[in-house]
Amino acid sequence: MNETICALATASGGAIGIIRISGAQTLEILSRIFSKDLTDAQPNTIHYGHIVEPVAASQQQQQPRIIDEVLVSVFRAPHSYTGEDSAEISCHGSAYILNKVLELLIHHGCRMANPGEYTQRAYLNGKMDLAQAEAVADLIASSNKATHQMAMRQLRGGISTELGVLRDQLLKLTSLLELELDFSDHEDLEFADRTELLALVQKIDSHITRLADSFHTGNALKNGIPVAIVGAPNVGKSTLLNALLGEERAIVSDIQGTTRDSIEDTIQLGGITFRFIDTAGIRHTDDQIEQLGIERSIAAAQRAQIILMMSMPGTPYPDIPVRDDQTVIRIENKTDSFQAKFGVGLDALRQQLVDAAPKAEDNDIIITNARHYEALVRAQSHLQRVVDGMHNMVSGDLLSEDLRDVLSTLSEITGGQITTNEVLGNIFQHFCVGK
């Protein structure tokens, strides 16, 4: 944290490249290679000039060599992304220029930033909590409208605000229970009414359960909603997949049993990513390889959130188990209303898929991070101990201890209990360099 760091924040090869610098010596180091002294520069200002390669003391008669014509944006602590003095150099996107500027910065006192170090410093300097910091990576990785909305909601503190409300309620309960311990000589004295306490604990548990349950939706929206296309051989499954993808992704043949394994690909519909799985035709067969493909088809259908169940006139729908939480869309192919080969009925099917997909509503908080989900599950376990303890009439000090376990677990999500460099390193190592 005492070192000044630098990194390329944009991909090389473009018209413009941006190099980020952050740390206490930012403006001092930058002034050594910039055509103007920026040590007294005002915050939130942009300065035009040149990046120059300083000459050695023995060559003072020579002019510094100009590397590039640039704009430098200056930000002062604490009003910057990292909370430190920082700057951004906007220069031309030449790989030579970008590498040369980085070389000069490092020569004059910077070091290369580690992956995610800018965001890690923002977290450590109190510019954002850990849930918001992790949302930065999700925002960069967002590939559709739904994942973008979820990441922006988390970045703006949606999850943190929701957990903050729960934390305040739990702290109030814990404080009342611990206050009773100060009056332990009065055995009948209760500051926390047990009936009201149980009702509030159950309400909080319901809230945490809702957040934990949203992980299934969030994970599907983040990674693509799995859609299995199942049916007997030759009903048009591969043709439908190719039509939806707009390319010849699967082999289409009149020979039964052509598809022996699952084929996956993704498309976006209505701002949502769908992950389609074309499966082997389901029928009775003595071919061991084809039978293995059929078993994989059934397994793929069991994992899917949406099942496109295909048939055609004279061919029954496959008899496979379907869960209550799965959506089944039945398609009778090769009819007047639906012809996958010629695109008849595809628009209506696309709309059915969008309607069947889980939605990230504007005001809903959806969990997409496995670390957050795991913490919520542990918080549920601690809360259940509180409920069981109240039913068994355990003492207030034990209830208070369990409530503190809930508080501690929830704090892990926003970073209140994250103290080791190892844990932080595991979180930020997956960020891109420059962020």
Side-chain angles (χ1 to χ4, degrees):
M1 289 288 288
N2 294 324
E3 297 175 305
T4 299
I5 57 176
C6 63
L8 178 63
T10 54
S12 61
I16 299 295
I18 296 177
I19 293 172
R20 308 182 83 181
I21 316 167
S22 184
Q25 302 300 312
T26 292
L27 298 179
E28 180 182 339
I29 292 172
L30 187 52
S31 294
R32 296 171 187 166
I33 66 168
F34 191 55
S35 55
K36 299 177 183 177
D37 186 355
L38 296 176
T39 53
D40 294 324
Q42 293 297 308
N44 306 320
T45 54
I46 299 177
H47 304 265
Y48 166 79
H50 297 89
I51 295 294
V52 297
E53 185 171 17
V55 297
S58 60
Q59 300 174 322
Q60 289 298 316
Q61 71 278 7
Q62 297 183 13
Q63 292 294 319
R65 185 166 72 95
I66 294 176
I67 303 301
D68 196 18
E69 186 178 34
V70 303
L71 292 174
V72 174
S73 304
V74 173
F75 307 93
R76 293 282 192 174
H79 304 296
S80 70
Y81 180 77
T82 59
E84 306 169 326
D85 282 354
S86 61
E88 293 183 355
I89 305 172
S90 298
C91 51
H92 292 95
S94 157
Y96 170 78
I97 291 174
L98 295 171
N99 289 330
K100 188 63 180 179
V101 174
L102 287 171
E103 176 188 319
L104 289 171
L105 288 170
I106 292 170
H107 177 75
H108 287 279
C110 284
R111 71 159 171 84
M112 285 295 294
N114 295 318
E117 189 168 1
Y118 292 94
T119 305
Q120 183 174 353
R121 289 188 177 202
Y123 161 66
L124 293 172
N125 288 323
K127 298 296 292 184
M128 59 181 71
D129 63 35
L130 197 56
Q132 291 172 298
E134 289 170 300
V136 174
D138 287 341
L139 186 62
I140 294 171
S142 62
S143 58
N144 56 51
K145 180 180 178 182
T147 52
H148 173 264
Q149 284 180 329
M150 291 188 295
M152 283 301 299
R153 199 170 299 129
Q154 184 173 328
L155 183 60
R156 291 172 179 169
I159 292 174
S160 306
T161 300
E162 189 126 343
L163 293 179
V165 173
L166 296 178
R167 180 179 179 276
D168 290 343
Q169 294 174 336
L170 287 166
L171 272 177
K172 181 179 179 181
L173 293 177
T174 306
S175 300
L176 290 173
L177 286 171
E178 293 182 352
L179 186 60
E180 293 178 0
L181 301 179
D182 294 334
F183 295 88
S184 56
D185 294 339
H186 303 274
E187 296 182 0
D188 296 330
L189 186 60
E190 287 187 352
F191 287 96
D193 180 273
R194 293 305 188 262
T195 302
E196 294 180 5
L197 178 61
L198 179 60
L200 186 53
V201 167
Q202 290 174 330
K203 179 180 177 182
I204 294 172
D205 180 61
S206 175
H207 208 111
I208 292 176
T209 298
R210 180 179 62 80
L211 287 175
D213 289 346
S214 73
F215 179 68
H216 179 68
T217 296
N219 198 42
L221 290 171
K222 189 174 181 179
N223 298 310
I225 298 168
V227 182
I229 307 175
V230 299
N234 283 1
V235 295
K237 299 185 300 300
S238 297
T239 302
L240 176 59
L241 176 66
N242 291 338
L244 289 168
L245 297 177
E247 60 176 296
E248 295 298 315
R249 181 69 174 80
I251 298 173
V252 177
S253 171
D254 292 333
I255 302 173
Q256 292 191 352
T258 302
T259 303
R260 297 293 183 96
D261 205 349
S262 299
I263 299 174
E264 293 192 27
D265 214 332
T266 61
I267 62 170
Q268 289 191 28
L269 300 172
I272 301 169
T273 299
F274 292 86
R275 181 161 44 87
F276 287 93
I277 309 162
D278 178 26
T279 64
I282 298 175
R283 65 167 179 165
H284 175 74
T285 180
D286 295 324
D287 186 317
Q288 292 184 348
I289 297 178
E290 185 181 356
Q291 181 58 38
L292 181 60
I294 292 170
E295 291 172 2
R296 291 183 178 181
S297 298
I298 296 174
Q302 291 173 341
R303 294 193 305 269
Q305 193 159 348
I306 300 174
I307 299 176
L308 298 184
M309 195 89 73
M310 291 192 71
S311 72
M312 64 180 186
T315 303
Y317 289 105
D319 183 17
I320 60 173
V322 176
R323 301 191 312 273
D324 291 339
D325 62 342
Q326 291 178 304
T327 298
V328 177
I329 299 176
R330 296 182 181 273
I331 302 168
E332 189 176 20
N333 192 26
K334 302 180 182 180
T335 64
D336 291 340
S337 59
F338 197 95
Q339 281 273 2
K341 184 177 181 179
F342 301 108
V344 177
L346 280 185
D347 287 342
L349 175 59
R350 293 187 183 102
Q351 187 59 53
Q352 282 184 282
L353 287 166
V354 172
D355 292 342
K359 303 297 189 298
E361 301 297 342
D362 290 341
N363 297 320
D364 281 353
I365 303 300
I366 296 178
I367 301 298
T368 62
N369 188 301
R371 189 182 70 83
H372 300 174
Y373 171 72
E374 188 271 338
L376 288 169
V377 170
R378 283 191 287 116
Q380 285 179 295
S381 177
H382 295 317
L383 270 177
Q384 187 57 51
R385 287 212 310 266
V386 176
V387 173
D388 293 341
M390 294 188 68
H391 286 313
N392 294 323
M393 305 298 291
V394 302
S395 61
D397 58 335
L398 295 178
L399 293 176
S400 174
E401 186 65 28
D402 286 333
L403 284 173
R404 285 205 168 275
D405 286 341
V406 179
L407 279 168
S408 176
T409 303
L410 292 180
S411 293
E412 292 177 15
I413 296 176
T414 55
Q417 300 296 319
I418 301 292
T419 56
T420 69
N421 289 330
E422 181 180 2
V423 174
L424 289 178
N426 287 335
I427 291 172
F428 288 104
Q429 69 180 347
H430 302 295
F431 279 59
C432 57
V433 175
K435 198 61 178 178

